[in-house]
Short mmCIF file of all heavy atoms in Angstrom, two decimals:
data_model
loop_
_atom_site.label_atom_id
_atom_site.label_comp_id
_atom_site.label_asym_id
_atom_site.label_seq_id
_atom_site.Cartn_x
_atom_site.Cartn_y
_atom_site.Cartn_z
N LEU R 499 -6.23 110.14 60.02
CA LEU R 499 -4.78 110.22 59.85
C LEU R 499 -4.23 109.32 58.75
O LEU R 499 -3.45 109.79 57.91
CB LEU R 499 -4.10 109.91 61.19
CG LEU R 499 -2.58 110.03 61.20
CD1 LEU R 499 -2.14 111.42 60.76
CD2 LEU R 499 -2.02 109.71 62.58
N PRO R 500 -4.57 108.02 58.69
CA PRO R 500 -3.97 107.19 57.64
C PRO R 500 -4.20 107.74 56.23
O PRO R 500 -3.29 107.72 55.40
CB PRO R 500 -4.67 105.83 57.83
CG PRO R 500 -5.04 105.82 59.28
CD PRO R 500 -5.43 107.23 59.59
N ALA R 501 -5.40 108.25 55.98
CA ALA R 501 -5.69 108.79 54.65
C ALA R 501 -4.90 110.07 54.39
O ALA R 501 -4.48 110.34 53.25
CB ALA R 501 -7.19 109.05 54.51
N LEU R 502 -4.69 110.88 55.43
CA LEU R 502 -3.95 112.13 55.26
C LEU R 502 -2.47 111.88 54.97
O LEU R 502 -1.80 112.70 54.33
CB LEU R 502 -4.08 113.01 56.51
CG LEU R 502 -5.47 113.59 56.79
CD1 LEU R 502 -5.46 114.34 58.11
CD2 LEU R 502 -5.92 114.50 55.66
N LEU R 503 -1.96 110.76 55.42
CA LEU R 503 -0.54 110.46 55.22
C LEU R 503 -0.22 110.12 53.77
O LEU R 503 0.89 110.39 53.30
CB LEU R 503 -0.12 109.30 56.12
CG LEU R 503 -0.17 109.55 57.64
CD1 LEU R 503 0.16 108.25 58.38
CD2 LEU R 503 0.78 110.65 58.04
N ILE R 504 -1.18 109.55 53.06
CA ILE R 504 -0.93 109.06 51.71
C ILE R 504 -0.55 110.23 50.78
O ILE R 504 -1.27 111.22 50.67
CB ILE R 504 -2.16 108.32 51.15
CG1 ILE R 504 -2.46 107.09 52.01
CG2 ILE R 504 -1.94 107.92 49.69
CD1 ILE R 504 -3.74 106.39 51.64
N GLY R 505 0.59 110.10 50.13
CA GLY R 505 1.04 111.12 49.18
C GLY R 505 1.74 112.30 49.82
O GLY R 505 2.07 113.27 49.12
N ASN R 506 2.01 112.24 51.11
CA ASN R 506 2.68 113.34 51.80
C ASN R 506 3.93 112.85 52.52
O ASN R 506 3.98 111.72 53.00
CB ASN R 506 1.73 114.01 52.80
CG ASN R 506 0.59 114.73 52.11
OD1 ASN R 506 0.80 115.46 51.15
ND2 ASN R 506 -0.63 114.50 52.59
N ARG R 507 4.93 113.72 52.63
CA ARG R 507 6.21 113.34 53.25
C ARG R 507 6.60 114.22 54.43
O ARG R 507 7.58 113.92 55.11
CB ARG R 507 7.32 113.39 52.19
CG ARG R 507 7.17 112.37 51.06
CD ARG R 507 8.29 112.55 50.04
NE ARG R 507 8.15 113.82 49.32
CZ ARG R 507 9.12 114.35 48.56
NH1 ARG R 507 10.28 113.73 48.45
NH2 ARG R 507 8.92 115.50 47.94
N PHE R 508 5.83 115.30 54.68
CA PHE R 508 6.20 116.23 55.74
C PHE R 508 4.97 116.60 56.58
O PHE R 508 3.83 116.57 56.07
CB PHE R 508 6.82 117.52 55.17
CG PHE R 508 8.11 117.32 54.46
CD1 PHE R 508 8.14 116.96 53.11
CD2 PHE R 508 9.32 117.47 55.13
CE1 PHE R 508 9.34 116.77 52.44
CE2 PHE R 508 10.52 117.28 54.47
CZ PHE R 508 10.54 116.92 53.12
N THR R 509 5.23 116.95 57.81
CA THR R 509 4.17 117.52 58.66
C THR R 509 4.59 118.92 59.09
O THR R 509 5.77 119.22 59.25
CB THR R 509 3.93 116.68 59.93
OG1 THR R 509 5.12 116.66 60.71
CG2 THR R 509 3.52 115.27 59.57
N VAL R 510 3.58 119.77 59.26
CA VAL R 510 3.79 121.13 59.74
C VAL R 510 2.99 121.30 61.02
O VAL R 510 1.77 121.09 61.01
CB VAL R 510 3.33 122.19 58.72
CG1 VAL R 510 3.80 123.57 59.16
CG2 VAL R 510 3.81 121.86 57.33
N ASP R 511 3.63 121.66 62.11
CA ASP R 511 2.96 121.91 63.38
C ASP R 511 2.99 123.40 63.69
O ASP R 511 4.08 124.01 63.72
CB ASP R 511 3.63 121.13 64.51
CG ASP R 511 3.40 119.63 64.38
OD1 ASP R 511 2.25 119.21 64.57
OD2 ASP R 511 4.35 118.90 64.07
N CYS R 512 1.81 123.98 63.93
CA CYS R 512 1.69 125.40 64.26
C CYS R 512 0.72 125.56 65.42
O CYS R 512 -0.17 124.74 65.63
CB CYS R 512 1.17 126.21 63.07
SG CYS R 512 2.27 126.21 61.63
N ASP R 513 0.92 126.65 66.15
CA ASP R 513 0.12 126.91 67.34
C ASP R 513 -0.28 128.38 67.33
O ASP R 513 0.55 129.25 67.04
CB ASP R 513 0.95 126.56 68.59
CG ASP R 513 0.23 126.92 69.87
OD1 ASP R 513 -0.62 126.14 70.31
OD2 ASP R 513 0.52 127.99 70.42
N ILE R 514 -1.54 128.68 67.65
CA ILE R 514 -1.97 130.08 67.74
C ILE R 514 -1.45 130.66 69.05
O ILE R 514 -1.63 130.08 70.12
CB ILE R 514 -3.51 130.19 67.70
CG1 ILE R 514 -4.05 129.60 66.40
CG2 ILE R 514 -3.94 131.65 67.82
CD1 ILE R 514 -5.57 129.60 66.31
N SER R 515 -0.80 131.79 68.96
CA SER R 515 -0.23 132.42 70.14
C SER R 515 -1.32 132.99 71.03
O SER R 515 -2.12 133.83 70.60
CB SER R 515 0.73 133.54 69.71
OG SER R 515 1.27 134.20 70.82
N ARG R 516 -1.40 132.49 72.28
CA ARG R 516 -2.37 132.96 73.28
C ARG R 516 -3.75 133.09 72.65
O ARG R 516 -4.36 134.17 72.64
CB ARG R 516 -1.92 134.28 73.90
CG ARG R 516 -0.55 134.23 74.56
CD ARG R 516 -0.17 135.54 75.24
NE ARG R 516 -0.95 135.74 76.45
CZ ARG R 516 -1.89 136.65 76.61
NH1 ARG R 516 -2.22 137.45 75.59
NH2 ARG R 516 -2.55 136.78 77.75
N CYS R 517 -4.27 131.98 72.19
CA CYS R 517 -5.48 131.99 71.36
C CYS R 517 -6.66 132.72 72.01
O CYS R 517 -7.10 133.77 71.53
CB CYS R 517 -5.87 130.56 71.00
SG CYS R 517 -7.32 130.45 69.94
N PHE R 518 -7.20 132.20 73.10
CA PHE R 518 -8.40 132.81 73.69
C PHE R 518 -8.14 134.24 74.17
O PHE R 518 -8.97 135.13 73.91
CB PHE R 518 -8.91 131.95 74.84
CG PHE R 518 -9.71 130.75 74.39
CD1 PHE R 518 -9.56 130.23 73.13
CD2 PHE R 518 -10.61 130.14 75.24
CE1 PHE R 518 -10.29 129.13 72.70
CE2 PHE R 518 -11.35 129.03 74.84
CZ PHE R 518 -11.19 128.53 73.56
N PRO R 519 -7.02 134.51 74.88
CA PRO R 519 -6.80 135.89 75.33
C PRO R 519 -6.61 136.88 74.17
O PRO R 519 -6.71 138.09 74.39
CB PRO R 519 -5.51 135.78 76.17
CG PRO R 519 -5.47 134.35 76.62
CD PRO R 519 -6.03 133.58 75.46
N SER R 520 -6.31 136.37 72.97
CA SER R 520 -6.05 137.27 71.83
C SER R 520 -7.27 137.47 70.94
O SER R 520 -7.24 138.32 70.04
CB SER R 520 -4.90 136.72 70.97
OG SER R 520 -3.71 136.65 71.72
N ILE R 521 -8.33 136.71 71.16
CA ILE R 521 -9.50 136.82 70.28
C ILE R 521 -10.19 138.17 70.51
O ILE R 521 -10.52 138.55 71.63
CB ILE R 521 -10.48 135.65 70.52
CG1 ILE R 521 -9.91 134.37 69.91
CG2 ILE R 521 -11.85 135.96 69.91
CD1 ILE R 521 -10.78 133.14 70.08
N TYR R 522 -10.38 138.88 69.44
CA TYR R 522 -11.02 140.20 69.43
C TYR R 522 -12.52 139.97 69.36
O TYR R 522 -13.03 139.31 68.45
CB TYR R 522 -10.51 140.94 68.20
CG TYR R 522 -10.82 142.40 68.10
CD1 TYR R 522 -10.71 143.24 69.21
CD2 TYR R 522 -11.17 142.96 66.88
CE1 TYR R 522 -10.97 144.60 69.10
CE2 TYR R 522 -11.42 144.31 66.75
CZ TYR R 522 -11.32 145.13 67.86
OH TYR R 522 -11.57 146.47 67.74
N THR R 523 -13.27 140.49 70.34
CA THR R 523 -14.70 140.18 70.38
C THR R 523 -15.43 140.67 69.12
O THR R 523 -16.39 140.05 68.68
CB THR R 523 -15.36 140.80 71.63
OG1 THR R 523 -15.20 142.22 71.60
CG2 THR R 523 -14.75 140.24 72.89
N HIS R 524 -14.95 141.78 68.54
CA HIS R 524 -15.57 142.25 67.28
C HIS R 524 -15.38 141.22 66.17
O HIS R 524 -16.16 141.19 65.21
CB HIS R 524 -14.96 143.58 66.85
CG HIS R 524 -15.22 144.71 67.81
ND1 HIS R 524 -16.24 144.69 68.74
CD2 HIS R 524 -14.59 145.90 67.98
CE1 HIS R 524 -16.23 145.82 69.43
NE2 HIS R 524 -15.23 146.57 68.99
N ALA R 525 -14.34 140.38 66.29
CA ALA R 525 -14.10 139.38 65.26
C ALA R 525 -15.21 138.33 65.21
O ALA R 525 -15.37 137.65 64.19
CB ALA R 525 -12.75 138.70 65.49
N LEU R 526 -15.98 138.19 66.28
CA LEU R 526 -17.15 137.30 66.25
C LEU R 526 -18.15 137.79 65.22
O LEU R 526 -18.71 137.01 64.44
CB LEU R 526 -17.79 137.21 67.64
CG LEU R 526 -16.93 136.61 68.75
CD1 LEU R 526 -17.58 136.85 70.11
CD2 LEU R 526 -16.74 135.12 68.52
N ASP R 527 -18.37 139.10 65.22
CA ASP R 527 -19.26 139.71 64.24
C ASP R 527 -18.69 139.55 62.83
O ASP R 527 -19.41 139.26 61.87
CB ASP R 527 -19.42 141.19 64.59
CG ASP R 527 -20.70 141.78 64.01
OD1 ASP R 527 -21.59 141.01 63.62
OD2 ASP R 527 -20.82 143.02 63.97
N TRP R 528 -17.35 139.71 62.70
CA TRP R 528 -16.72 139.53 61.40
C TRP R 528 -16.90 138.10 60.89
O TRP R 528 -17.14 137.89 59.70
CB TRP R 528 -15.22 139.83 61.48
CG TRP R 528 -14.85 141.17 62.00
CD1 TRP R 528 -15.68 142.26 62.17
CD2 TRP R 528 -13.55 141.59 62.42
NE1 TRP R 528 -14.99 143.31 62.67
CE2 TRP R 528 -13.68 142.95 62.84
CE3 TRP R 528 -12.31 140.98 62.49
CZ2 TRP R 528 -12.59 143.67 63.32
CZ3 TRP R 528 -11.22 141.70 62.95
CH2 TRP R 528 -11.35 143.03 63.38
N ALA R 529 -16.76 137.14 61.78
CA ALA R 529 -16.85 135.73 61.38
C ALA R 529 -18.25 135.38 60.91
O ALA R 529 -18.42 134.50 60.06
CB ALA R 529 -16.44 134.83 62.55
N VAL R 530 -19.26 136.06 61.43
CA VAL R 530 -20.64 135.76 61.06
C VAL R 530 -21.03 136.48 59.77
O VAL R 530 -21.59 135.90 58.84
CB VAL R 530 -21.60 136.15 62.20
CG1 VAL R 530 -23.06 136.02 61.75
CG2 VAL R 530 -21.34 135.28 63.43
N LEU R 531 -20.71 137.76 59.70
CA LEU R 531 -21.20 138.59 58.58
C LEU R 531 -20.16 138.82 57.49
O LEU R 531 -20.52 139.17 56.37
CB LEU R 531 -21.63 139.97 59.12
CG LEU R 531 -22.75 140.00 60.15
CD1 LEU R 531 -22.96 141.42 60.65
CD2 LEU R 531 -24.04 139.44 59.56
N GLY R 532 -18.89 138.62 57.82
CA GLY R 532 -17.82 139.09 56.94
C GLY R 532 -17.34 140.43 57.47
O GLY R 532 -18.13 141.25 57.95
N LYS R 533 -16.04 140.66 57.38
CA LYS R 533 -15.44 141.82 58.03
C LYS R 533 -15.99 143.14 57.51
O LYS R 533 -16.33 144.05 58.28
CB LYS R 533 -13.92 141.77 57.86
CG LYS R 533 -13.17 142.71 58.77
CD LYS R 533 -11.67 142.40 58.72
CE LYS R 533 -10.89 143.25 59.72
NZ LYS R 533 -9.45 142.92 59.72
N GLU R 534 -16.11 143.28 56.20
CA GLU R 534 -16.55 144.55 55.62
C GLU R 534 -17.99 144.86 56.00
O GLU R 534 -18.33 145.99 56.37
CB GLU R 534 -16.38 144.52 54.10
CG GLU R 534 -14.93 144.44 53.65
CD GLU R 534 -14.09 145.57 54.21
OE1 GLU R 534 -14.60 146.72 54.26
OE2 GLU R 534 -12.94 145.32 54.62
N VAL R 535 -18.86 143.85 55.92
CA VAL R 535 -20.28 144.07 56.26
C VAL R 535 -20.41 144.42 57.74
O VAL R 535 -21.16 145.32 58.12
CB VAL R 535 -21.11 142.80 55.94
CG1 VAL R 535 -22.55 142.99 56.41
CG2 VAL R 535 -21.07 142.53 54.44
N ALA R 536 -19.67 143.70 58.58
CA ALA R 536 -19.74 143.94 60.02
C ALA R 536 -19.28 145.35 60.37
O ALA R 536 -19.87 146.02 61.22
CB ALA R 536 -18.91 142.90 60.77
N LYS R 537 -18.21 145.83 59.70
CA LYS R 537 -17.69 147.16 60.01
C LYS R 537 -18.66 148.26 59.58
O LYS R 537 -18.67 149.36 60.17
CB LYS R 537 -16.33 147.36 59.35
CG LYS R 537 -15.21 146.60 60.08
CD LYS R 537 -13.86 147.12 59.66
CE LYS R 537 -12.78 146.56 60.59
NZ LYS R 537 -11.45 147.14 60.32
#
C-alpha cells in the first residue's frame, strides 16, 4: 500500500456482481486456452 499511494490522489473501489454465482464454467476453458481456441 505505501508504495501504491506515491504519485496518486484517488482510489477507485469496484466489486464484481455476484462473482461466484455468475462465473460461466466454460470461461474456465477460455481462461486456460484463450476464448477463440477454446470455442
Side-chain angles (χ1 to χ4, degrees):
L499 183 57
L502 292 176
L503 294 175
I504 298 173
N506 292 314
R507 294 177 293 166
F508 296 86
T509 62
V510 190
D511 290 291
C512 297
D513 175 81
I514 301 176
S515 179
R516 302 184 72 250
C517 181
F518 281 22
S520 298
I521 286 180
Y522 191 42
T523 60
H524 296 340
L526 296 169
D527 203 16
W528 303 347
V530 173
L531 300 175
K533 194 169 185 177
E534 295 304 320
V535 175
K537 285 196 169 186

